[in-house]
Amino acid sequence: MWSLQNLLFTICIALICVTSAVGVIHVTGYLGSEVKISCSYGPGYQSYQKYLCRNDCGSGDVLITTSNPVKNKYRTHDDKTARIFTTTIFDLHSTDAGKYWCGVTRTGKDIYTEVKLKLVPDSCCNSVKEVESYAGYSVSFSCLYESQYQNNLKYICKGTRPSICLQQALITSDNKQNGRFRLNDENMSTKFTTKISSLTQSDSGRYLCGIQRNSDLHLFCAFELKVKDHCCDTVTNIESYEGYSESINCPYENQYQNNLKYICRGNRPSTCLQRALITSNNRENGRFSLDDEKMSRIFTVTISSLTQSDSGHYLCGVQTNSDHDVFSAVELRVKEWCCVRSTEITGTVGHPLTLQCPYPQQHRDNKKFLCKGDHRNSCRDMVMSESRFALRDDIYSSSFSVMITKLEEADAGTYWCGSDSRWRVGNYVKIQLSVVFLQHTSTVASTVKTPGKTVPPTVENLGQTITSTMKTLGKTQTQTPNQPIKDSALYVLFRRSPYSAVIDRHPCGCSLQVETSQSKRR
């Protein structure tokens, strides 16, 4: 009976302890981090021992006391001036969640305050806003908050752990400028904005906007920043040819109809406007022209007289007056303009020469032509302008020929023959014509190459005899001064090119290599 009375008394004391608890304190902490549990007490108890316990607060349930303030992962501190007893729990695990008691030891029954500890993952957030920008630009994060937090501390950090965000803050509302970071708290619109200038790729990553709350976890929102060093993920490929014109179409959104448009070479958005080849404020610039079709929301840049050096990366830009402009990318490849084939032909001055030009079957009814010029844009129609050039079309062989009745030295050069007036690539033959001429002479005033040495012509030796050994009919004959060689004649074939040709075969059976001083230029 006595034991039963003791048991009932113990249960009664326990109930009295619970019911004497002065309110419930709710505390939330992050797993893997630390949490502080603070409990106040009334005046007169400053010198009393305080403790934190779990479960029924039996002797084995006491976690730490003020008389032994450091134990395992618990630390305690008693602020007797503020009459607040604080316990810090480190390295939180899921088993640390639950009910705790803050106790004040006194004679009779102790004073208890109930604490409920909730633990959440040390990460943020369920929703993450993605932001993109480019190296060299600036970017801004705007973080909304409720009006009740207008006067609370705001801050931003890089990372994903809310528990250490304030300690690692890049900037706070107490210090609104820190290097490349600037914070502006717009109390009237209940948002604060953080701006990062002169971005680099190392600025890419997760950022947390934080609002400090003294009695609970801080409030956060998350941003994912991606800083690119070039533009863009999608590139439009365009191919064209030398001498042609090409148009680059740049679409944009409706809200940018009246904004500045421009194009630059390269893939660096941060310097594109400064290096713009042309803008919508100046729609003509040399070979570049810009036309903004606002109804279709496309601006077009045309490049005329293309060269292979125009090949490369281009950015179409639209100025947005915000942290960065909007871009689209184009890769232009300019190919060499050419033909079905290229050929080299040599003709002799004063003699006829025929040039052959094939064409596609579908061009059998097209006008055929032969023109002369280093480039098709400066090409002169020879059949129309020279009576010596006659064109004959053979539709059965899908080719035409042009006969030059009497070749002249000035006829040397580059020719194009074709059947396509629009000059589409691949419908032409490129002909490089060299011209030679035949001259009959009895005196050679030129450099004569003989075995072992070369004798250049001079004023002195022009009147002298060129002595050379010639084999004729099995005999060796030596030419002496002022004595002509019997039955001799010398034919020299000259080519209109940087170097002259070989002397034609001599009647006596020899051949001489001649290089005229006029054709050899130093």
Side-chain angles (χ1 to χ4, degrees):
M1 178 64 70
W2 183 84
S3 297
L4 180 60
Q5 288 178 342
N6 283 341
L7 178 60
L8 291 173
F9 177 76
T10 303
I11 293 173
C12 178
I13 291 296
L15 290 173
I16 291 173
C17 290
V18 173
T19 56
S20 65
V22 288
V24 179
I25 298 174
H26 293 272
V27 179
T28 304
Y30 293 107
L31 288 167
S33 186
E34 63 186 64
V35 70
K36 295 182 183 296
I37 298 175
S38 297
C39 302
S40 60
Y41 53 86
Y45 293 101
Q46 285 89 337
S47 60
Y48 285 60
Q49 178 179 264
K50 290 87 181 177
Y51 57 91
L52 183 72
C53 62
R54 296 194 72 174
N55 303 322
D56 295 332
C57 281
S59 59
D61 296 328
V62 176
L63 302 172
I64 194 168
T65 67
T66 52
S67 58
N68 185 17
V70 178
K71 183 180 179 182
N72 299 328
K73 64 176 186 175
Y74 303 96
R75 304 289 186 273
T76 185
H77 173 70
D78 186 7
D79 185 350
K80 296 179 179 181
T81 302
R83 301 196 307 276
I84 296 176
F85 159 54
T86 302
T87 300
T88 303
I89 307 176
F90 297 90
D91 191 23
L92 290 168
H93 293 81
S94 57
T95 55
D96 293 317
K99 184 187 292 185
Y100 291 79
W101 300 93
C102 288
V104 179
T105 302
R106 66 175 183 174
T107 304
K109 52 186 179 180
D110 294 347
I111 300 175
Y112 291 94
T113 302
E114 184 180 352
V115 178
K116 288 187 176 180
L117 175 61
K118 178 183 177 181
L119 297 180
V120 296
D122 190 11
S123 62
C124 179
C125 301
N126 293 332
S127 176
V128 178
K129 185 176 180 180
E130 295 184 352
V131 179
E132 287 189 354
S133 192
Y134 301 100
Y137 271 74
S138 299
V139 71
S140 296
F141 307 128
S142 292
C143 311
L144 299 174
Y145 59 83
E146 296 179 7
S147 57
Q148 67 201 71
Y149 301 119
Q150 281 186 340
N151 299 320
N152 289 43
L153 180 73
K154 286 87 177 179
Y155 58 95
I156 190 170
C157 70
K158 188 176 182 181
T160 60
R161 295 188 61 191
S163 63
I164 57 174
C165 188
L166 182 56
Q167 296 94 298
Q168 298 180 348
L170 299 166
I171 193 170
T172 72
S173 54
D174 287 343
N175 182 17
K176 297 186 177 182
Q177 184 75 47
N178 182 22
R180 297 185 296 118
F181 296 85
R182 181 174 180 82
L183 189 148
N184 181 30
D185 188 4
E186 304 171 15
N187 290 329
M188 296 301 293
S189 57
T190 61
K191 71 176 181 180
F192 72 94
T193 302
T194 302
K195 183 176 183 179
I196 311 173
S197 59
S198 302
L199 288 168
T200 65
Q201 281 191 287
S202 61
D203 291 319
S204 297
R206 181 72 59 86
Y207 289 80
L208 298 181
C209 294
I211 301 173
Q212 187 179 44
R213 292 194 299 179
N214 297 325
S215 60
D216 205 345
L217 294 181
H218 298 183
L219 297 175
F220 293 97
C221 61
F223 291 86
E224 187 72 30
L225 173 62
K226 182 179 180 182
V227 180
K228 302 178 181 179
D229 67 342
H230 65 278
C231 179
C232 301
D233 292 336
T234 301
V235 179
T236 301
N237 292 300
I238 299 177
E239 287 190 350
S240 192
Y241 296 90
E242 288 180 311
Y244 279 37
S245 295
E246 190 61 50
S247 295
I248 300 174
N249 294 323
C250 309
Y252 57 85
E253 296 181 7
N254 187 59
Q255 67 264 33
Y256 300 129
Q257 278 188 345
N258 298 318
N259 292 44
L260 180 73
K261 287 85 177 180
Y262 57 95
I263 192 170
C264 70
R265 291 201 67 168
N267 56 13
R268 293 291 304 277
S270 59
T271 58
C272 189
L273 182 55
Q274 298 93 300
R275 298 184 293 105
L277 299 167
I278 192 169
T279 73
S280 54
N281 288 342
N282 181 19
R283 299 191 174 190
E284 291 286 343
N285 184 20
R287 296 185 297 117
F288 296 84
S289 62
L290 189 150
D291 182 32
D292 188 6
E293 302 172 9
K294 295 183 178 180
M295 294 299 294
S296 57
R297 299 187 302 280
I298 293 175
F299 74 93
T300 302
V301 176
T302 301
I303 311 173
S304 60
S305 301
L306 287 169
T307 66
Q308 285 187 285
S309 63
D310 291 318
S311 297
H313 205 92
Y314 291 79
L315 292 183
C316 300
V318 179
Q319 192 175 46
T320 63
N321 301 319
S322 61
D323 289 324
H324 61 83
D325 295 348
V326 178
F327 295 96
S328 58
V330 172
E331 186 74 30
L332 174 62
R333 183 185 177 193
V334 180
K335 296 181 179 180
E336 181 183 4
W337 185 91
C338 201
C339 39
V340 175
R341 69 166 186 252
S342 296
T343 184
E344 295 183 0
I345 297 177
T346 300
T348 304
V349 171
H351 289 256
L353 179 70
T354 300
L355 306 178
Q356 288 293 131
C357 301
Y359 57 81
Q361 275 193 332
Q362 61 268 29
H363 289 182
R364 60 190 303 171
D365 296 325
N366 289 18
K367 178 184 177 182
K368 285 70 176 187
F369 59 89
L370 175 79
C371 66
K372 182 182 179 184
D374 291 334
H375 197 276
R376 66 180 182 88
N377 291 337
S378 57
C379 193
R380 177 189 173 201
D381 193 321
M382 300 303 293
V383 176
M384 297 292 293
S385 59
E386 290 283 347
S387 59
R388 294 182 296 111
F389 288 72
L391 188 149
R392 180 183 178 184
D393 189 7
D394 183 0
I395 61 174
Y396 299 103
S397 63
S398 293
S399 67
F400 67 92
S401 60
V402 176
M403 175 177 282
I404 309 173
T405 55
K406 189 176 182 181
L407 197 64
E408 297 179 358
E409 183 180 0
D411 292 332
T414 302
Y415 290 80
W416 307 88
C417 61
S419 55
D420 183 1
S421 60
R422 295 181 60 186
W423 291 93
R424 282 180 285 257
V425 174
N427 290 331
Y428 301 90
V429 174
K430 180 181 180 182
I431 301 172
Q432 195 68 45
L433 175 60
S434 297
V435 173
V436 299
F437 58 94
L438 198 61
Q439 180 176 339
H440 180 271
T441 181
S442 60
T443 303
V444 180
S446 58
T447 299
V448 180
K449 290 186 178 179
T450 59
K453 64 178 181 177
T454 300
V455 182
T458 63
V459 175
E460 291 78 7
N461 64 19
L462 281 176
Q464 298 176 357
T465 303
I466 300 173
T467 302
S468 58
T469 301
M470 303 178 184
K471 292 183 180 180
T472 173
L473 301 176
K475 296 188 297 179
T476 300
Q477 180 176 341
T478 303
Q479 182 185 354
T480 57
N482 301 319
Q483 180 181 352
I485 301 174
K486 184 179 180 181
D487 298 328
S488 65
L490 202 59
Y491 290 89
V492 184
L493 187 62
F494 292 90
R495 179 191 300 269
R496 189 177 182 270
S497 63
Y499 297 96
S500 65
V502 180
I503 295 179
D504 201 74
R505 185 172 182 84
H506 192 276
C508 65
C510 66
S511 295
L512 296 180
Q513 177 70 33
V514 177
E515 187 174 4
T516 65
S517 60
Q518 187 178 24
S519 64
K520 186 175 182 181
R521 297 170 184 165
R522 297 184 180 272

